[in-house]
Amino acid sequence: MVDSSVWIDAFNGVNSRQVKELSNILGKENIFVGDFILTEVLQGVHNDEDFNDIKSALKEFPCVRLLNKEIAIKSAENYRALRKTGITIRKTIDVIIATFCMENNFILLHNDRDFDPMEKYLGLNVYHLS
């Protein structure tokens, strides 16, 4: 699973380690786009031409539904578990993405510090850059 933080950087031409890794794994690894991730990426596009280009590019990848009742409940439990340690995740969508990945054995490629405590305390499997 590739998080919106990496897709947005890639589409904006940011030369980060995560974008380089995304380029390296394209065509070599199975890459999935979550439905919420697709929304996050597309809602930030400023003009229609770029919107259509990015939409077409992302539609090439399998899109998975991130949320159902079980993931919703588990996401709330994960959020609460982190709160008990004094950590508050800023975006609910990030907790949902991480929970989906953990529950479905997906590896997450991201560039968002909100995922770090979910890796450390909850066991989120993240793509470690070489």
Side-chain angles (χ1 to χ4, degrees):
M1 180 81 60
V2 177
D3 182 53
S4 58
S5 57
V6 177
W7 287 118
I8 290 167
D9 283 352
F11 290 124
N12 285 326
V14 175
N15 192 21
S16 69
R17 291 176 54 221
Q18 292 82 1
V19 170
K20 287 178 187 173
E21 193 61 32
L22 174 59
S23 294
N24 288 338
I25 64 174
L26 281 172
K28 298 175 190 167
E29 303 278 342
N30 292 324
I31 296 175
F32 294 87
V33 176
D35 50 3
F36 290 157
I37 294 167
L38 181 61
T39 300
E40 283 185 314
V41 173
L42 291 176
Q43 73 186 6
V45 179
H46 296 293
N47 68 58
D48 291 341
E49 184 178 339
D50 288 345
F51 177 87
N52 289 324
D53 290 346
I54 292 170
K55 179 176 69 173
S56 293
L58 291 176
K59 284 173 69 175
E60 295 298 316
F61 299 97
C63 185
V64 294
R65 180 179 170 199
L66 295 176
L67 191 61
N68 59 33
K69 186 183 342 183
E70 291 77 25
I71 297 296
I73 292 167
K74 188 65 179 171
S75 294
E77 291 170 350
N78 287 338
Y79 180 87
R80 290 171 50 79
L82 289 172
R83 283 294 302 261
K84 288 177 184 175
T85 68
I87 298 166
T88 301
I89 303 300
R90 298 172 296 155
K91 296 179 275 181
T92 299
I93 288 178
D94 288 346
V95 179
I96 292 167
I97 292 167
T99 301
F100 174 89
C101 288
M102 289 185 286
E103 294 297 307
N104 292 282
N105 297 313
F106 277 56
I107 300 169
L108 181 65
L109 176 61
H110 72 87
N111 188 17
D112 183 335
R113 65 185 167 97
D114 270 340
F115 291 110
D116 295 342
M118 291 184 270
E119 177 186 13
K120 181 176 180 180
Y121 295 105
L122 302 177
L124 173 63
N125 192 5
V126 300
Y127 200 96
H128 289 283
L129 305 171
S130 45

